[in-house]
Amino acid sequence: METLMSNWLNPVENTPEKYIFPANQRPGSQPFPVMNDIPLIDLQHPNPQHIIHQIIDACQRFGIFQVINHGIPGSLMEDTMAVMKGFFAGPAEHKASLYSTDLTKKCRIYSSTLNYDSEEVHYWRDNLTHHCYPLHDHIHLWPHHPPTYRQVVGAYAVETRKLMVRILETICEGLGLKPDYLEGEMTKTQLLSVNHHIPCPDPSLTLGMPQHTDPNLITILQQCSVPGLQVFRHHQWMDVPSDPTAFLVVPGLQLKVMSNGRFWSPIHRVMTHREEARTTIGTFLIPSNEIVIEPAGDSPAAYRGFTYAEFFKCFTRSNCDADTALTYFQTNSKSPTLLK
Ligand SMILES: O=C(O)CCC(=O)C(=O)O
Ligand SMILES: [Fe+2]
């Protein structure tokens, strides 16, 4: 069967065996509670102290929040979403030329996870990932179909970076650090990661993305109107409401370390949808390989300092389970041997 699901004939009549999880790992068909109390933060609130307080509180108590009045024009968000949907609906030959499961490729499309060839069950998704910063180093590697891709996504990449830097500055202020503490090497890599899930005949048997914690510094996510994201909270999976005009912000594990464990990095996953295709556009900021990540300020430190390269080595050896990888750097860790 064709690896990329976006090339399959639509609609899919029956869920292929290779995508059906064993009974104890299926999401099931019971409805999930909705996370109605997810913080909604207005970035144009006249009182900057109020914004700082709300963001720090959200990072500590929820580990996920939405921002509105974020400064990114609605038309740019819509154009970018349309270009992404156009990319996945576009020519199979064009996508084939970008297909790769090699992590070091700066622009790639793949299906399920990077372990497609060895995994027992596939996740119901295609993913396009590429580097974005600095733009002129990467834009020539990006898709050229639809023809407006580079122009629209180039503008989007610049604007999303500005928004993320602004959120990070606010976080630094709230933690009593210099506002530019996380600029430079700490945010050197900017990745765009677009998930596309075609409609699935039986969402109770499949998953669009495994449960995970984001290994990076920070993520922002533009959703479409089709729901699917779930967060594990209060010992249960909860549906995250989908608002295509807002950005969801998720502190990654490196921010958890930097805040000395004060912030939450939520466990989340993606459900599939029976009737509609779902596309989401994630933007990740990631430290350079060489910079040392360590708790800033508070003592005693809950983590020892490490480079992102060290962390990433542990991450891949822990089967891409970021939480497990992070335990090796806890100051009370009993398993410091993984790097040897
Ligand atoms: O597509 C989504 O809703 C979530 C994406 C996500 O969690 C990720 O890319 O890390
Ligand atoms: Fe994620």
Side-chain angles (χ1 to χ4, degrees):
M1 182 181 282
E2 161 80 70
T3 306
L4 290 175
M5 306 181 82
S6 50
N7 295 337
W8 291 7
L9 280 181
N10 203 353
V12 179
E13 298 278 332
N14 296 304
T15 310
E17 197 93 345
K18 253 314 224 183
Y19 291 78
I20 300 178
F21 278 89
N24 62 350
Q25 293 170 39
R26 291 177 194 164
S29 51
Q30 84 284 19
F32 291 92
V34 180
M35 194 175 166
N36 283 320
D37 57 349
I38 183 169
L40 184 66
I41 301 179
D42 179 354
L43 293 184
Q44 268 174 22
H45 191 281
N47 180 353
Q49 288 307 319
H50 180 71
I51 301 176
I52 294 175
H53 171 78
Q54 278 197 305
I55 290 186
I56 297 292
D57 187 57
C59 288
Q60 293 188 158
R61 292 199 302 124
F62 291 83
I64 186 167
F65 58 95
Q66 285 187 292
V67 289
I68 51 166
N69 290 324
H70 41 64
I72 302 189
S75 55
L76 181 58
M77 295 175 76
E78 283 165 22
D79 290 352
T80 308
M81 186 56 83
V83 157
M84 294 309 175
K85 287 186 182 285
F87 169 79
F88 284 103
E93 314 81 72
H94 182 47
K95 284 182 270 179
S97 67
L98 298 170
Y99 184 86
S100 176
T101 54
D102 175 359
L103 251 177
T104 62
K105 266 260 161 52
K106 298 264 160 107
C107 179
R108 61 174 186 265
I109 182 172
Y110 61 94
S111 201
S112 184
T113 73
L114 294 171
N115 301 325
Y116 187 91
D117 292 327
S118 57
E119 66 199 7
E120 293 273 312
V121 182
H122 299 313
Y123 292 88
W124 193 270
R125 74 153 177 173
D126 286 346
N127 176 275
L128 169 70
T129 293
H130 61 62
H131 285 240
C132 300
Y133 184 78
L135 198 55
H136 55 81
D137 283 355
H138 301 290
I139 196 165
H140 63 283
L141 301 170
W142 294 3
H144 51 76
H145 183 92
T148 53
Y149 189 99
R150 293 179 183 179
Q151 183 206 334
V152 170
V153 181
Y156 184 83
V158 170
E159 290 303 317
T160 45
R161 185 173 180 92
K162 273 194 227 156
L163 171 60
M164 296 176 93
V165 166
R166 182 178 166 201
I167 293 169
L168 288 174
E169 283 174 355
T170 310
I171 287 175
C172 288
E173 282 188 67
L175 292 175
L177 304 167
K178 291 214 317 256
D180 64 358
Y181 181 86
L182 291 170
E183 272 158 46
E185 294 295 307
M186 284 297 282
T187 46
K188 190 155 182 208
T189 302
Q190 178 182 353
L191 275 192
L192 187 88
S193 166
V194 187
N195 284 329
H196 181 73
H197 315 271
I198 63 172
C200 173
D202 193 344
S204 75
L205 306 176
T206 59
L207 280 170
M209 218 180 159
Q211 71 173 65
H212 68 282
T213 311
D214 288 356
N216 49 316
L217 185 71
I218 190 166
T219 303
I220 64 170
L221 189 70
Q222 177 183 337
Q223 301 194 84
C224 65
S225 55
V226 182
L229 181 63
Q230 293 190 324
V231 165
F232 197 71
R233 188 168 155 73
H234 301 317
H235 314 289
Q236 61 187 337
W237 287 106
M238 300 185 82
D239 289 334
V240 175
S242 49
D243 177 351
T245 64
F247 277 94
L248 268 176
V249 184
V250 184
L253 283 179
Q254 310 311 318
L255 262 190
K256 179 174 176 172
V257 171
M258 210 244 358
S259 70
N260 204 22
R262 281 170 66 186
F263 289 180
W264 257 123
S265 247
I267 297 175
H268 51 289
R269 71 177 186 185
V270 175
M271 297 278 291
T272 59
H273 196 276
R274 195 184 301 273
E275 280 99 30
E276 290 179 81
R278 177 173 189 267
T279 309
T280 60
I281 310 170
T283 304
F284 306 149
L285 289 183
I286 303 170
S288 71
N289 276 337
E290 301 76 30
I291 188 77
V292 173
I293 297 141
E294 58 192 344
D298 287 5
S299 59
Y303 303 93
R304 66 173 176 84
F306 53 85
T307 63
Y308 195 70
E310 270 182 277
F311 172 79
F312 212 77
K313 207 184 259 179
C314 277
F315 177 61
T316 45
R317 288 187 195 172
S318 313
N319 212 6
C320 292
D321 181 334
D323 276 319
T324 303
L326 195 56
T327 59
Y328 292 100
F329 302 102
Q330 284 172 352
T331 42
N332 61 2
S333 173
K334 295 192 178 64
S335 344
T337 51
L338 195 72
L339 287 174
K340 301 257 165 64

